[in-house]
Amino acid sequence: MTTKTTTLEVKIYCGTYAKYNDSSIAGQWIDVTDLDKQEFYDECIKLHSDEEDPEFMFQDTDTESKVLRDMISESGIDAEFWDLKEEMKELSENSLMMLEAFEVYVASGYDANINAFEDAFFCYIEEYNIEEAFGEYYANMTGEISEIPKHLQYYFDYEAYGKDLLSDAFFEQDGYIFTRN
């Protein structure tokens, strides 16, 4: 398996509704990568100290994590965001890449539990034809191919088998294979 490098960074652009309603998007990017919830809101208060009671507006988010990005809306940040961000920072570079691939499945409605992706991970295939490579890998791993007489094994369609597996029991993204159960 090839190890890819990724660094989890999260930035949020914080303005206020009062400024926005006055036709201004005056605000600032705040790097929340190493901030906790209280530190972030303290930064927001300091940034908008020109308002008596600022109503914060999170106008943009900069992160490669779809799960984290989806937890931030214009009017608020999901309560689980801060814990999830910290848990993600503890992941190895490889696990973070795996999670990013898994996020595509999460976006289709799968449980966003941070531990779900590690439980669902099956293998990594770095080949041009994922379906064929996975079909061959799975048939050999399970021993199913050995049940076919040796002289007929050459006719086995690994690509079709892999496509069937990936459309039913497994999910593939960027070479990472996850189980659907």
Side-chain angles (χ1 to χ4, degrees), residues 88-101:
M88 288 175 70
K89 285 172 48 178
E90 299 299 318
L91 296 175
S92 69
E93 297 294 324
N94 204 32
S95 291
L96 193 54
M97 289 301 297
M98 196 186 331
L99 177 61
E100 289 175 5

Side-chain angles (χ1 to χ4, degrees), residues 13-166:
Y13 190 88
C14 179
T16 67
Y17 282 97
K19 288 180 176 82
Y20 182 79
N21 289 335
D22 287 338
S23 300
S24 171
I25 58 167
Q28 185 173 317
W29 283 102
I30 300 174
D31 186 343
V32 299
T33 304
D34 295 319
L35 299 180
D36 64 23
K37 181 179 179 178
Q38 187 59 53
E39 291 169 330
F40 170 68
Y41 282 105
D42 288 346
E43 286 290 317
C44 293
I45 290 167
K46 185 172 23 171
L47 174 63
H48 296 290
S49 61
D50 59 329
E51 293 183 35
E52 187 174 318
D53 187 21
E55 184 179 0
F56 302 122
M57 181 180 196
F58 308 118
Q59 296 161 310
D60 203 357
T61 306
D62 183 17
T63 183
E64 293 195 17
S65 170
K66 180 170 179 21
V67 170
L68 292 178
R69 189 171 46 250
D70 288 349
M71 296 176 94
I72 303 168
S73 71
E74 177 181 288
S75 59
I77 300 173
D78 190 303
E80 296 175 16
F81 169 85
W82 302 100
D83 290 336
L84 182 59
K85 176 181 71 78
E86 291 306 310
E87 287 179 40
M88 288 175 70
K89 285 172 48 178
E90 299 299 318
L91 296 175
S92 69
E93 297 294 324
N94 204 32
S95 291
L96 193 54
M97 289 301 297
M98 196 186 331
L99 177 61
E100 289 175 5
F102 186 67
E103 288 176 350
V104 173
Y105 196 39
V106 170
S108 66
Y110 195 82
D111 179 15
N113 182 330
I114 187 73
N115 297 318
F117 84 97
E118 290 176 329
D119 295 339
F121 178 69
F122 188 75
C123 68
Y124 178 77
I125 307 263
E126 188 175 29
E127 296 290 329
Y128 172 73
N129 187 336
I130 297 285
E131 291 90 0
E132 182 177 6
F134 181 60
E136 185 174 0
Y137 170 80
Y138 192 80
N140 287 313
M141 184 201 77
T142 61
E144 292 174 350
I145 196 70
S146 64
E147 295 175 16
I148 300 172
K150 196 75 156 162
H151 69 283
L152 296 176
Q153 289 179 10
Y154 301 106
Y155 297 99
F156 189 78
D157 188 345
Y158 289 111
E159 184 174 9
Y161 184 56
K163 278 183 183 178
D164 285 349
L165 289 169
L166 291 171

